[in-house]
Amino acid sequence: MTSPPPRILSIAGSDSGGGAGIQADIKTITMLGGFAMTAICALTAQNTLGVTAVAATTPAMVAAQIDACVSDIGVDAVKIGMLGSPQIAAVVADRLEGLGVPVVFDPVMIATSGAALADAATIAAFERLMALATLTTPNVPELAALGGDAAMAARGIAYLAKGGDADGPVVEDRLVIPGQPPRLWQAPRIATRHSHGTGCTLSSAIATELGRGASLEQAVDRARAFVRAALLAAPGLGAGHGPMGHHAVRG
């Protein structure tokens, strides 16, 4: 008898263009053999050229979605992405405290396109989520907005400093776990404009692996491999910052 798939709850925003957000999470979790569930925090109208409209869900509706999944199907790991408002961030923290499963928090503030996705009050509300998360996964500008490595060290939390937004031919990702030496991954940069949703994909892949029982280092290693394979398999859709090829990668 085969074991059931890890049950992964994505708490994030919807991307109408399908490249990032909830849509990228569902594809990633599914291709890695997990069972994807969602709590949608915001609706966006977007495509490869950018975001044209955003509408936040109510905190009560986000809470109801989380409760519905947890109370019946159950959850083995959680991924948190775009939240939309500080009130939603607070209700998500309320629901996750005491849940007792791995939580991967992607502190979405600035999309790769440069669009700001979180205001100052939302960033302040991130403190509770970072404290309860198993891993926080900031990109270069998000790490800076959170105070840099010194501030993350002062928080005493595990984080993955993603290097995809840095310049240079080599991408370096750095896993920092309190009390341990940093673990570095380096790989040649994949030159492509079709990289929309890399952060969402990486965080949901890490959550899926953690839900399966992998260690943090194993989960990050496997998730990075999945992201790189999806970048190489990008279908070339859209006139701008196009989606990755989740459909072509098996975990």
Side-chain angles (χ1 to χ4, degrees):
M1 180 178 176
T2 58
S3 58
R7 302 159 295 178
I8 313 300
L9 173 61
S10 170
I11 305 172
S14 169
D15 173 0
S16 60
I22 287 284
Q23 286 80 352
D25 294 342
I26 292 172
K27 294 170 189 176
T28 300
I29 294 162
T30 301
M31 295 306 287
L32 286 172
F35 178 77
M37 299 170 286
T38 64
I40 298 176
C41 301
L43 302 176
T44 69
Q46 65 175 293
N47 54 28
T48 68
L49 299 175
V51 179
T52 54
V54 179
T57 312
T58 66
M61 185 60 188
V62 174
Q65 293 174 82
I66 296 170
D67 291 345
C69 295
V70 173
S71 65
D72 177 38
I73 297 168
V75 176
D76 295 309
V78 177
K79 172 261 168 77
I80 306 170
M82 177 186 177
L83 293 167
S85 75
Q87 294 78 18
I88 289 175
V91 81
V92 168
D94 288 342
R95 287 302 189 273
L96 296 186
E97 283 175 345
L99 192 57
V101 301
V103 175
V104 179
F105 177 37
D106 185 12
V108 179
M109 304 173 195
I110 302 165
T112 309
S113 61
L117 299 176
D119 58 20
T122 303
I123 294 172
F126 283 1
E127 292 294 343
R128 278 181 74 195
L129 294 171
M130 286 191 288
L132 66 83
T134 309
L135 183 71
T136 300
T137 62
N139 61 22
V140 172
E142 288 160 356
L143 181 60
L146 292 170
D149 288 305
M152 297 299 276
R155 292 180 177 104
I157 61 173
Y159 65 100
L160 180 70
K162 300 180 296 189
D165 294 315
D167 295 326
V170 175
V171 175
E172 180 178 284
D173 297 323
R174 182 165 40 89
L175 175 62
V176 180
I177 300 173
Q180 299 183 23
R183 166 72 161 90
L184 302 180
W185 285 266
Q186 293 181 325
R189 183 177 300 278
I190 297 171
T192 176
R193 65 180 172 89
H194 300 288
S195 59
H196 185 47
T198 48
C200 306
T201 298
L202 182 69
S203 56
S204 56
I206 294 170
T208 304
E209 294 299 337
L210 290 176
R212 184 176 281 124
S215 69
L216 257 183
E217 191 169 320
Q218 288 171 333
V220 171
D221 193 63
R222 295 170 189 169
R224 289 183 75 263
F226 181 86
V227 169
R228 291 183 65 81
L231 281 168
L232 292 171
L237 304 177
H241 190 49
M244 302 158 65
H246 300 86
H247 65 285
V249 186
R250 288 283 178 188

